[in-house]
Amino acid sequence: MSTENEGTAAPMPPAAPSAPPVPVAASTPDAAPADRIPGTPAAPAPAPGVEQTQQLPPTAPPAPPQAPDHAPPVPPAPVDPAAPAQGYAQAPPYGQPAPAAAYGAEGWPPPPPAVPAYGAGGHGGGTWGAPLGTDGTPPPKPKGKGGLIVGVLVAALLAGGVGGGIGYWAAERSEGGSGSTTITASTPKDLKRDSGSIAGLAAASLPSVVTIEASASAGDGEGGTGTGFVYDQQGHILTNNHVVASAANGGKVSATFSDGKKYEAEVIGRAQGYDVAVLKLKNPPAGLKPLALGDSDKVAVGDATIAIGAPFGLSNTVTTGIVSAKNRPVASGDGSGSKNSYMSALQTDASINPGNSGGPLLDGRGAVIGINSAIQSAGNGGFGGGQAGSIGLGFAIPINQAKNVAQSLIKTGKPVYPVISVSVDLQAKADGAKVSEQGAPANELVDPNGPAGKAGLKPGDLITEFGGKPVDSGPTLISMIWTYKPGDTVKLTYQRDGKPTTVDITLGSRVGDK
């Protein structure tokens, strides 16, 4: 920290005299300078560029003043006009102009004051430049703590500067690697996370989530990576059909737990239309902990979600989000492009990428509310061998539907679908699901003995509502039908020649995929 003009007297204006000085003729060698008291020796001429200070003499008898080189100039005290001193010219009252003096006249400079300015209550006397009182003395010094406050402020600034300097020095020493001392912030010994926090739920769920590797039979060359989770203590793993479809016919499937232990598995059932599959560990470990299943029908938009999976092969990845929408009609492929799956999905903004498929979508309590199955992508390309990544539009099969499918697959190895026994035109551009009019005989487009045929539907009818919800396309109708069970009775509204009709139909069933 630098201090300006430290160690030298700061230049200040000369004292204002009580009367103007009288000029002295340059031709008079004995004339005293206007700023020197008669009888005192003349001060030596100042060296060029050197600041001089002036000091008044002490009390009578007068003595030559000793002007210290460190004291600031002090203004002479005014003289009372009522008591002129012998041998000195009378000074006018303060504030009135002085009468003109003859050249070389007596009376200048004024007599010395009885008490020097620096002797009256401290160095410097009254306030510099302040008007004098009626008795010719400076006004009283104002009371207060201004000087103390200034001193405190300066001290604080100096302390801050010293602190900064020490910090910089310490940093320099530390970077130099010599004489440094490292101080580490202490970490609480017993850091506990609430079981209901995201970290707590993830810790409890990860041991029940597996990374699945599926490889096709020899020579096929297909395979993939996905996710699954423990469904029961017998070693059943729930996942997507498209994760294990390539290994369904003689391929190999393995499941690796979060602790790194890997187990061989086999596919015991697949439902291509639902995009659900069930695996069975060949030698399941003891102490399997199935994930708790929630109720997807009671999920609300805005509920918290946690997705666990292996996006792009990165096992045990946890992401979070919310339920963005419900009953979202989604048609997803199995990777081959030959068949589609239909779901009335839960939409979430939790990050889901290729490899998350088959993994659990948890709610804020850690219960499974869906199986992560599909994403909407903005385009192709990017990280992961040309596969597109998440843009915050992920879709999961509601767990209530997946649970029904899993139970059927475990019991029989085959899926069971609810049907209305009509053929729907998936390419029709209409505000509803149009019953096909071409491509097959009329009795195949609408089975007269099926649920829709018995209710009076015919080819060309437009189905606009199902179960009290609007239908906007063929895929939407299929995904809505598959949320029910065979035998359920549902209201259906259709239009024929612009006239709406509502009927009750009892859903039939179909076993296995076509």
Side-chain angles (χ1 to χ4, degrees), residues 198 299-300 302-306 320-323 348 361-365 369:
I198 294 174
V299 170
D303 283 352
T305 58
I306 303 172
T320 63
I322 61 170
V323 175
T348 181
L361 183 68
L362 310 178
D363 63 11
R365 303 171 303 162
I369 56 174

Side-chain angles (χ1 to χ4, degrees), residues 323-351:
V323 175
S324 303
K326 297 177 60 177
N327 303 315
R328 198 66 96 185
V330 174
S332 63
D334 61 358
S336 64
S338 59
K339 295 181 180 180
N340 286 330
S341 300
Y342 299 93
M343 68 187 85
S344 184
L346 296 175
Q347 180 182 326
T348 181
D349 65 346
S351 182

Side-chain angles (χ1 to χ4, degrees), residues 37-130:
I37 300 175
T40 61
V50 178
E51 180 70 25
Q52 291 289 319
T53 58
Q54 179 178 337
Q55 183 68 44
L56 293 179
T59 56
Q66 300 296 324
D69 59 354
H70 64 279
V74 180
V79 181
D80 188 354
Q86 296 294 329
Y88 292 89
Q90 181 177 354
Y94 183 80
Q96 297 183 9
Y103 183 80
E106 297 285 342
W108 180 260
V115 179
Y118 58 80
H123 181 75
T127 304
W128 179 264

Side-chain angles (χ1 to χ4, degrees), residues 332-427:
S332 63
D334 61 358
S336 64
S338 59
K339 295 181 180 180
N340 286 330
S341 300
Y342 299 93
M343 68 187 85
S344 184
L346 296 175
Q347 180 182 326
T348 181
D349 65 346
S351 182
I352 297 174
N353 290 283
N356 274 106
S357 293
L361 183 68
L362 310 178
D363 63 11
R365 303 171 303 162
V368 181
I369 56 174
I371 300 176
N372 301 318
S373 300
I375 61 173
Q376 177 65 46
S377 175
N380 295 325
F383 177 73
Q387 292 177 309
S390 172
I391 58 172
L393 295 175
F395 304 98
I397 302 169
I399 194 60
N400 288 5
Q401 177 180 332
K403 179 173 61 175
N404 293 333
V405 176
Q407 291 173 349
S408 176
L409 294 176
I410 292 173
K411 289 179 180 179
T412 67
K414 296 181 180 180
V416 178
Y417 297 93
V419 295
I420 62 173
S421 299
V422 299
S423 176
V424 178
D425 186 353
L426 300 178
Q427 305 301 324

